[in-house]
Amino acid sequence: MEGGGVEVDVSAFRECLSLSWKNPYVLRLAFSAGIGGLLFGYDTGVISGALLYIRDDFKEVDSKTWLQEAIVSMALAGAIIGAAVGGWINDRFGRRKAILLADTLFFIGSAVMAAATNPSILIVGRVFVGLGVGMASMASPLYISEASPTRVRGALVSLNGFLITGGQFLSNLINLAFTKAPGTWRWMLGVAAVPALIQIVLMMMLPESPRWLFRKGREEEGKAILRKIYPPQEVEAEINTLKESVEIEIKEAEASDKVSIVKMLKTKTVRRGLYAGMGLQIFQQFVGINTVMYYSPTIVQLAGFASNRTALLLSLITSGLNAFGSILSIYFIDRTGRKKLVLFSLCGVVFSLVVLTVVFHQSTTHSPMVSALETSHFNNTCPDYHSAVNPGGWDCMKCLKASPGCGFCASGANKKPKDFQWKKWRRCWKEEISISSFGREVLAMQKK
């Protein structure tokens, strides 16, 4: 990176704000490329809410959990491929073209998902979106870092991380906004095409990364861009620094072909850095944050909040705190140091997971009991309960696990009463309402 690595501090953020009137061109470059991070975060968060309504429209998705998992995970599979080829595309064709290609794939994927008539087409759309997300995750921060002034580079690059968590928060807001709209999940997934289209238009009017131009021997084009980015008194120094940096990088790339991976791993400093970097990435995923972001409304519903809108509203709190946490990390990272911030964050993660474990264990062990007398009010239409060897030991948790149709569902002929009973039963489980009063409510509903 030209000019060397620059740490983020409070003064850098103040200088970023001053750029809005000193040199708005730099902020235009950063925000235009940062939309890729917004799309990344939006795709991560939007499927969690959309999945609730996809299950309502496609009954096979509701009854087959592997289809739900496929719809969620195929975007991640596409992102792996997109990130793998993204590095080569960035070096071969440039950062700007890589971002444009990522946006095009994201736009196509969003349109396909919005128009999907069956789960298979929906999965195809998710793959396209994943490819775009993977490429954008490589190209956007790279473009920002190479097209930013040295003194504010760290702050502007961190903008991409904030836009990822901000995109997750925005996706929950969009999900909540379209809960009453016809088509619900189609709007939720399709609206992502709008920022992708906006970024295509903006990137078409922006130049290529100056560093990439220098590497390709197009120095005059690179110098012209640097003159727009830096003040006149700093331009020549930055041009010389960039030129030297690129020359060193090319020489190191040629020399690296002679260095084996085994030899590098035998170096203690390299090995320790590798363990630390990979370990943090692995632990970050294994604490379950991806599960929370992708299935947050579903988890909320399993806790007893049956309403889709209520589940989305509560999920908004999770994504909002996630975005707020990224702001705190940007502010404190250079005040407390990386190591202290990581350790403090991990302590918070451990505490949260312990609390969740205790709460879910309590909800399981204190679940209301199921009785034969109450099931008789519903014409004994709970087959798993009546065929059980020891039905006297059944509670709400065991009943819900037995089958989707179990839980005092009187009849499948009338969809509305059945949905009403299912949601009320889950609410009964959470709030431990009297089963007899619950039964009377459902019977009154059926008579109407």
Side-chain angles (χ1 to χ4, degrees):
M1 196 179 295
E2 64 270 24
V6 179
E7 294 187 349
V8 186
D9 57 25
V10 178
S11 63
F13 284 97
R14 282 199 293 265
E15 191 156 352
C16 279
L17 294 175
S18 69
L19 284 174
S20 59
W21 56 274
K22 284 183 178 179
N23 191 355
Y25 182 75
V26 174
L27 287 183
R28 182 182 162 196
L29 290 174
F31 275 98
S32 298
I35 295 175
L38 183 73
L39 291 173
F40 189 163
Y42 186 89
D43 175 70
T44 305
V46 72
I47 193 62
S48 63
L51 192 61
L52 301 179
Y53 297 93
I54 291 171
R55 293 199 312 238
D56 291 339
D57 282 4
F58 299 131
K59 294 306 173 187
E60 59 268 40
V61 176
D62 189 36
S63 59
K64 299 175 181 177
T65 54
W66 68 267
L67 265 178
Q68 298 176 32
E69 293 160 3
I71 291 171
V72 172
S73 61
M74 288 311 292
L76 298 176
I80 292 172
I81 299 171
V85 301
W88 178 81
I89 292 173
N90 273 285
D91 288 337
R92 180 70 177 82
F93 302 103
R95 287 54 162 146
R96 177 172 165 270
K97 289 182 179 178
I99 292 174
L100 288 171
L101 177 59
D103 286 328
T104 303
L105 290 170
F106 202 96
F107 182 85
I108 293 171
S110 298
V112 169
M113 289 190 296
T117 55
N118 58 63
S120 299
I121 297 176
L122 189 59
I123 290 172
V124 171
R126 291 287 291 167
V127 172
F128 273 96
V129 165
L131 289 170
V133 164
M135 289 182 186
S137 67
M138 294 287 292
S140 292
L142 192 59
Y143 183 89
I144 295 172
S145 68
E146 294 180 352
S148 303
T150 306
R151 60 186 177 278
V152 294
R153 182 174 298 134
L156 290 178
V157 170
S158 65
L159 173 70
N160 186 71
F162 169 68
L163 286 174
I164 291 175
T165 56
Q168 293 171 339
F169 180 71
L170 177 64
S171 68
N172 280 276
L173 283 177
I174 297 294
N175 285 345
L176 199 60
F178 285 114
T179 52
K180 302 272 185 191
T184 51
W185 63 270
R186 297 184 186 276
W187 284 102
M188 295 173 182
L189 298 175
V191 77
V194 176
L197 186 60
I198 291 173
Q199 189 174 36
I200 288 174
V201 174
L202 291 174
M203 293 305 298
M204 290 291 288
M205 297 184 290
L206 293 178
E208 183 51 79
S209 155
R211 185 179 187 85
W212 185 82
L213 292 173
F214 267 76
R215 288 200 64 177
K216 296 301 178 180
R218 296 158 60 179
E219 292 188 8
E220 291 305 315
E221 294 179 54
K223 290 177 181 178
I225 299 166
L226 289 174
R227 290 190 180 97
K228 292 182 180 181
I229 295 173
Y230 289 94
Q233 66 272 19
E234 299 179 14
V235 171
E236 290 304 319
E238 289 297 331
I239 288 174
N240 293 331
T241 302
L242 177 57
K243 191 173 181 178
E244 292 174 7
S245 176
V246 170
E247 288 174 355
I248 293 171
E249 185 180 312
I250 293 173
K251 289 179 181 178
E252 288 178 349
E254 293 172 353
S256 65
D257 295 334
K258 303 174 184 178
V259 180
S260 66
I261 296 177
V262 176
K263 188 176 180 180
M264 289 180 64
L265 291 176
K266 287 182 179 179
T267 307
K268 186 176 180 180
T269 54
V270 173
R271 191 168 62 250
R272 290 180 67 181
L274 183 66
Y275 291 159
M278 290 184 63
L280 284 174
Q281 291 292 325
I282 292 170
F283 293 143
Q284 179 181 308
Q285 304 306 310
F286 273 86
V287 296
I289 185 61
N290 281 343
T291 304
V292 171
M293 297 312 297
Y294 281 117
Y295 295 101
S296 185
T298 303
I299 294 171
V300 170
Q301 286 195 331
L302 288 173
F305 296 92
S307 168
N308 286 350
R309 188 174 179 82
T310 303
L312 290 173
L313 187 61
L314 292 173
S315 299
L316 192 64
I317 299 173
T318 304
S319 59
L321 290 173
N322 189 37
F324 181 68
S326 66
I327 297 174
L328 289 179
S329 66
I330 291 170
Y331 184 79
F332 284 108
I333 192 167
D334 286 304
R335 288 173 171 247
T336 62
R338 279 68 166 160
K339 184 178 178 181
K340 288 182 180 178
L341 191 61
V342 168
L343 291 174
F344 180 78
S345 301
L346 288 176
C347 288
V349 169
V350 171
F351 175 76
S352 301
L353 291 175
V354 170
V355 171
L356 281 173
T357 302
V358 172
V359 169
F360 276 106
H361 177 72
Q362 289 296 312
S363 67
T364 302
T365 55
H366 292 78
S367 183
M369 299 301 294
V370 178
S371 71
L373 176 61
E374 296 300 337
T375 58
S376 65
H377 294 312
F378 300 93
N379 301 321
N380 299 319
T381 54
C382 196
D384 292 295
Y385 173 77
H386 288 284
S387 61
V389 178
N390 182 26
W394 275 44
D395 57 16
C396 292
M397 179 67 72
K398 196 166 185 178
C399 185
L400 291 171
K401 287 181 177 179
S403 71
C406 207
F408 298 119
C409 293
S411 173
N414 189 339
K415 185 178 185 297
K416 187 175 180 181
K418 184 175 180 180
D419 287 346
F420 171 79
Q421 295 155 19
W422 172 248
K423 292 176 180 179
K424 287 291 290 181
W425 178 242
R426 285 193 291 191
R427 192 150 57 246
C428 166
W429 163 35
K430 181 178 189 303
E431 300 174 3
E432 298 188 19
I433 301 172
S434 163
I435 296 179
S436 59
S437 64
F438 163 63
R440 285 194 295 272
E441 284 188 56
V442 178
L443 287 173
M445 181 75 175
Q446 287 178 318
K447 288 178 182 178
K448 292 179 182 179

